[in-house]
């Protein structure tokens, strides 16, 4: 498994230098969002007006009105929690071409509740005119820059930073989910870092005789409900969603809405944060603690099929693809 | 006891806090030591020279309140609370480990002595303003102190709080600004300048005093003085990374972490 170091940094710079109407905005999380090199090499295309997110959202609206396409870089939480009203009135309603690059989605930060974007999908997908994307590997992080910039309106992206595994060899395309496996027992729907967990689980599940149909979502809005329903209809036992987010309002809810509106009766297990804030801690610890890891997925599959697989942590450890992410050490703040 | 009699104790506690906070960061390989070190003398002065509190009764209604708005500087806050007796010293070794109560940002549901969760900047001062208004409404005698970073002053919420505090003449409120002139990525004045900070707070209705934020005597004189007729703003001129030669005034120590050699060097200097 190839690990790519700071894929966003190189991809953003390569794209932005070709598009002078793209501006790079930071609210003093410049190195934390991997744009410190860009700031140093392209100061005329970079704006940091300090830690002032409400102001940043509104002046981004102004830049958009004047024909620029600002890329806003911050931790995901700071792009919607604090400046929500500014986001609605200055950016979303007037459909400005503002690109919101939200780093440290969900439990990928050890910073605790104040820094964990655990309801961002839920919030963002309810905003009219908003597009919501989530990168699940290095290739998607690299290609999300140009893809987001094609959108005629605002876009919110969940971005992975640091060392990111490369799982895919084709770029992200808005509206095109990835069908990673076409099994017939259980449908598993993942996005972002949970896709890697599901890939780990799939190997062990296949050896245990469970055939998984696995969809990776990179476009959360617009949501392709029809395709989800088609896939759900083609499995025997039901559907499991696994998300780095609260199950309320996120992918679990989106799938539930799709199944209900289509009148398709399938059991649905929603894995993710269950109406709780998360502790601070390392990503592997938090994913295990809150039932968002490969083993949690295996147990959910067993609940749907009614059959034990005999898979334990050791069996999953053998297929661990993410060798670089330390088990014990938290990611940087 | 004369106020200045407290100075040796404050210095002793501040030294212990620096050494202990850096050991925590070294062990965890996580933290914000630069901002810990700029704030520690202020916290030591508050807890060992100024504030009324009882660690056995963290909810004591008459306690003076302290809000750590620069919540990322947990090395400073946790060592201060521990030294003040809120929890045992062995808890510090769990800093940022799984199941620890000592998270990267302070959580009032986990630890006694924390008034409110902070971490996202620009929250603590408005919360402290609310606490001070509550004290004013109730006719209570407690005082409220809040420490913000200086870069943090770029968040507009601070100025909304300042307007209210000045308007209501919240004389029971003291805002302390850790003026180390560096934010995470660069200097405050090159990012979005704050000067003249004293004139700005004066215009908002505060009694403004500038002090050396590493001098307990100077801090005691202003923080320990009886409330006047207006809210007080103390601009504490500090040095990010204060006390360790290779960290002082280096922005990257905002969330830099020491290797073993750097840790040993720092322990030699922090004596």
């Amino acid at each position: 498994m190839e690990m790519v170091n700071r894929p966003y940094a190189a991809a953003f710079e390569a794209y932005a230098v070709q598009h002078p109407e793209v501006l790079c905005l930071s609210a003093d999380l410049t190195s934390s969002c991997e744009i410190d090199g860009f700031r140093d090499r392209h100061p005329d295309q970079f704006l940091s007006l300090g830690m002032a997110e409400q102001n940043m959202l509104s002046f981004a609206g102004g830049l958009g009105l004047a024909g620029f396409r600002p890329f806003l870089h911050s931790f995901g939480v700071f792009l919607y929690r604090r400046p929500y009203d500014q986001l609605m009135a200055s950016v979303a309603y007037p459909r400005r071409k503002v690109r919101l690059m939200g780093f440290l989605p969900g439990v990928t930060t050890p910073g605790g509740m104040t820094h964990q974007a655990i309801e961002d999908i839920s919030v963002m997908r309810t905003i009219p005119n908003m597009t919501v994307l989530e990168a699940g590997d290095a290739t998607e992080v690299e290609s999300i820059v140009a893809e987001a910039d094609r959108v005629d309106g605002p876009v919110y992206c969940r971005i992975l930073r640091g060392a990111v595994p490369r799982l895919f060899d084709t770029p992200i395309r808005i509206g095109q989910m990835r069908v990673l496996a076409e099994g017939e027992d259980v449908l598993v729907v993942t996005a972002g870092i949970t896709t890697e967990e599901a890939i780990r689980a799939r190997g062990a599940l296949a050896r245990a005789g469970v055939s998984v149909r696995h969809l990776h979502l990179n476009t959360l809005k617009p949501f392709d409900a029809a395709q989800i329903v088609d896939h759900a209809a083609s499995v025997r036992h039901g559907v499991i969603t696994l998300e780095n987010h609260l199950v309320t309002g996120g992918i679990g809810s989106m799938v539930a809405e799709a199944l209900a509106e289509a009148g398709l009766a399938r059991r649905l297990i929603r894995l993710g944060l269950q109406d709780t804030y998360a502790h601070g801690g390392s990503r592997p610890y938090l994913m295990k603690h809150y039932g968002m890891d490969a083993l949690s997925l295996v147990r959910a599959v067993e609940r749907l099929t009614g059959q034990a697989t005999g898979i334990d942590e050791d069996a999953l450890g053998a297929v661990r693809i993410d060798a670089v992410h330390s088990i014990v050490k938290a990611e940087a703040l | 006891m004369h106020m200045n009699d407290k100075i040796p104790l404050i210095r002793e506690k501040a030294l212990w806090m620096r050494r202990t906070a850096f050991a925590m960061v070294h062990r965890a390989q996580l933290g914000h030591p630069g901002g810990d070190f700029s704030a520690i003398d202020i916290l030591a002065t508050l807890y060992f020279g100024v504030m009324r509190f009882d660690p056995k009764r963290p909810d004591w209604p008459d306690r003076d309140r302290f809000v750590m708005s620069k919540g990322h500087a947990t090395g400073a806050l946790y060592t201060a609370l521990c030294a003040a007796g809120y929890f045992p010293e062995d808890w510090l070794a769990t800093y940022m480990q799984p199941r620890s109560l000592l998270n990267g940002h302070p959580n009032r549901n986990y630890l006694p002595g924390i008034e409110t969760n902070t971490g996202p900047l620009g929250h603590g001062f408005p919360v402290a303003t609310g606490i001070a208004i509550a004290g004013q409404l109730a006719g209570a005698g407690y005082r409220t102190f809040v420490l913000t970073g200086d870069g943090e002053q770029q968040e507009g919420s601070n100025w909304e709080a300042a307007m209210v505090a000045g308007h209501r003449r919240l004389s029971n409120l003291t805002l302390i600004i850790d003026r180390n002139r560096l934010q995470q990525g660069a200097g405050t004045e090159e990012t979005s300048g704050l000067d003249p900070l004293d004139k700005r707070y004066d215009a908002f209705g505060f009694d403004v005093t500038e002090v050396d934020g590493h001098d307990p005597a100077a801090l005691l004189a202003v923080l320990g003085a009886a409330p006047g007729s207006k809210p007080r703003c103390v601009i504490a001129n500090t040095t990010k990374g204060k006390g360790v030669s290779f960290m002082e005034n280096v922005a990257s120590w905002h969330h830099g972490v020491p290797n073993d050699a750097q840790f040993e060097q720092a322990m030699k200097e922090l004596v």
Side-chain angles (χ1 to χ4, degrees), chain B residues 3 6 45-46 49-53 60-67 115 128-136 139-146 170-176 207 209 219-234:
Chain B
M3 195 179 271
K6 297 171 178 169
T45 303
L46 284 170
V50 176
M51 291 200 303
R52 290 185 311 169
F53 61 92
W60 178 37
D62 293 330
R63 71 191 183 282
D64 288 339
R65 271 69 165 172
F66 174 66
V67 174
E115 299 287 350
T129 303
I131 296 171
I133 292 172
Q136 194 184 56
Y142 64 78
R143 299 179 66 189
T144 301
F145 299 87
V146 52
L170 296 175
S171 58
N172 56 355
L173 175 66
T174 300
L175 163 68
I176 310 162
D207 269 331
T209 309
L219 287 165
L220 262 182
V222 60
L223 297 174
S229 60
K230 298 174 173 181
R232 188 168 285 155
C233 171
V234 178

Side-chain angles (χ1 to χ4, degrees), chain B residues 27-264:
Chain B
R27 190 182 302 113
Q29 288 292 295
L30 283 170
H32 291 91
D36 288 341
F37 285 4
S38 70
I40 273 175
D41 299 302
I42 298 165
L43 269 72
T45 303
L46 284 170
Y47 279 96
F48 296 101
V50 176
M51 291 200 303
R52 290 185 311 169
F53 61 92
D54 178 358
K56 300 286 179 288
R57 291 186 293 160
D59 294 329
W60 178 37
D62 293 330
R63 71 191 183 282
D64 288 339
R65 271 69 165 172
F66 174 66
V67 174
M68 183 71 165
S69 193
K70 46 176 291 183
H72 56 282
T74 40
L77 179 64
Y78 293 159
T79 54
L81 291 173
C82 180
Y86 280 99
F87 55 80
E89 196 172 330
D90 57 0
W91 289 19
L92 295 174
T94 69
Y95 184 52
M96 295 214 223
Q97 300 306 306
R99 300 182 186 282
S100 174
L101 303 177
L102 281 66
N103 277 197
H105 298 95
N107 190 323
R108 63 159 286 122
N109 294 328
Y110 296 174
L111 274 186
I114 293 170
E115 299 287 350
T116 186
N117 284 35
T118 50
L121 298 169
H123 286 222
F125 182 19
V127 171
T129 303
I131 296 171
I133 292 172
Q136 194 184 56
L137 291 174
Y142 64 78
R143 299 179 66 189
T144 301
F145 299 87
V146 52
L147 178 68
T148 76
D150 54 354
E152 180 177 3
Q153 291 289 322
Q154 290 159 355
E155 295 287 5
S157 52
N158 290 296
W159 299 95
E160 298 179 23
M163 212 176 310
V164 167
H167 176 73
R168 298 186 71 105
R169 302 182 77 84
L170 296 175
S171 58
N172 56 355
L173 175 66
T174 300
L175 163 68
I176 310 162
I177 301 171
D178 183 355
R179 187 73 173 112
N180 61 36
R181 309 191 81 83
L182 288 175
Q183 51 196 96
Q184 172 169 308
T188 57
E189 299 315 289
E190 60 188 287
T191 303
S192 189
L194 302 169
D195 284 334
L197 201 49
D198 54 344
K199 289 195 176 66
R200 291 183 179 184
Y201 271 98
D202 178 68
F204 274 74
F206 283 62
D207 269 331
V208 183
T209 309
E210 271 197 70
V211 297
D212 175 348
H214 299 301
D215 178 359
L219 287 165
L220 262 182
V222 60
L223 297 174
S229 60
K230 298 174 173 181
R232 188 168 285 155
C233 171
V234 178
I235 300 173
N237 291 312
T238 56
T239 300
K240 203 161 190 169
K242 174 71 175 180
V244 175
S245 56
F246 56 86
M247 293 171 65
E248 290 191 355
N249 285 317
V250 178
S252 60
W253 280 99
H254 175 84
H255 56 327
V257 294
N259 59 32
D260 291 346
Q262 289 169 322
F263 177 68
E264 282 168 28

Side-chain angles (χ1 to χ4, degrees), chain A residues 132-148:
Chain A
V132 182
L133 308 179
E134 177 164 17
D137 85 323
T139 300
E140 292 194 339
V141 171
E142 289 163 350
S143 51
I144 207 168
V145 176
E147 192 67 2

